[in-house]
Amino acid sequence: MFVLAAAVILCAMGRFSRGQTDASSCLNASLDCESLQIGQYYCADPLIDNETQQEFGCSKAERFVKVDCFPVAGICCSGLLYDGRTAAFKRKVPCHWTNGKKFSVALLLSIFLGWLGIDRFYLGFPALGMLKFCTFGFMLIWTLADILLIAIQVVRPADGSDYIVDRYGPGLFRIDSDNLTYVLPPGT
């Protein structure tokens, strides 16, 4: 609804007409491509490193990577008419920084050796690992709780990194409601 209202306003201002089909009508367009509304562009997926399962260029400090974004076919911005296949700008998207801790290893250590605290040592919590070792996992109650907390990924590595899991595997990510919508790339 908002995009439709914005198109009506832009049309009334003479910056956008629904029937634009040639590049000459875009020469007077002063709309910057980075200020396109949601749904008027789509962004490519970031490239994934097969070994670490994190996006190329992802770092602990920033946790964002830049991806190419493409205005959909027929959109005029920065004085050009786009066909939906030409990148116009880059946008920062969140990435998942990993540091070598595998989810499957952490879960298996918690299930089989959690009563000795080995899972906490593996994740970088030596004090909690020693406490679990001395109390036999607080008589297995703490062990059962840790199995659950690691399985639902509440307990993560101590350095703040994400687990290494398959990109489309059992990873749990919080989904926040926001205004990001995507248009399918041409040819899909």
Side-chain angles (χ1 to χ4, degrees):
M1 187 69 173
F2 176 75
V3 173
L4 180 62
V8 170
I9 292 170
L10 288 174
C11 186
M13 293 171 48
R15 294 184 180 170
F16 177 81
S17 68
R18 191 156 171 80
Q20 286 178 342
T21 57
D22 61 343
S24 64
S25 61
C26 288
L27 293 177
N28 295 330
S30 62
L31 180 65
D32 183 32
C33 288
E34 291 191 26
S35 63
L36 287 175
Q37 298 293 318
I38 302 299
Q40 293 179 323
Y41 66 91
Y42 65 93
C43 295
D45 290 330
L47 297 174
I48 306 295
D49 182 2
N50 289 332
E51 203 169 304
T52 62
Q53 294 297 311
Q54 73 181 13
E55 295 83 351
F56 282 108
C58 186
S59 66
K60 180 180 182 178
E62 191 162 325
R63 292 208 180 203
F64 284 96
V65 293
K66 290 186 177 183
V67 295
D68 289 330
C69 292
F70 306 84
V72 295
I75 294 289
C76 277
C77 63
S78 301
L80 297 171
L81 178 65
Y82 285 90
D83 61 357
R85 294 185 191 97
T86 307
F89 61 97
K90 292 190 178 285
R91 185 162 302 261
K92 285 184 172 183
V93 295
C95 64
H96 306 286
W97 176 69
T98 62
N99 198 16
K101 305 295 184 198
K102 294 190 174 198
F103 172 72
S104 57
V105 172
L107 187 59
L108 289 173
L109 285 175
S110 185
I111 291 170
F112 295 110
L113 298 172
W115 60 278
L116 293 173
I118 303 299
D119 54 345
R120 290 294 184 146
F121 281 107
Y122 175 73
L123 292 175
F125 300 101
L128 292 176
M130 188 56 87
L131 187 61
K132 271 180 85 172
F133 177 76
C134 291
T135 61
F136 293 109
F138 196 65
M139 298 302 183
L140 299 179
I141 295 172
W142 190 358
T143 301
L144 293 175
D146 264 358
I147 291 170
L148 178 67
L149 293 175
I150 290 173
I152 62 175
Q153 298 182 17
V154 171
V155 173
R156 294 183 176 266
D159 60 4
S161 65
D162 292 322
Y163 288 114
I164 296 176
V165 293
D166 291 332
R167 179 75 175 155
Y168 300 103
L172 297 176
F173 303 105
R174 171 184 266 154
I175 299 175
D176 293 324
S177 179
D178 58 16
N179 291 329
L180 294 179
T181 59
Y182 299 98
V183 176
L184 288 176
T188 57

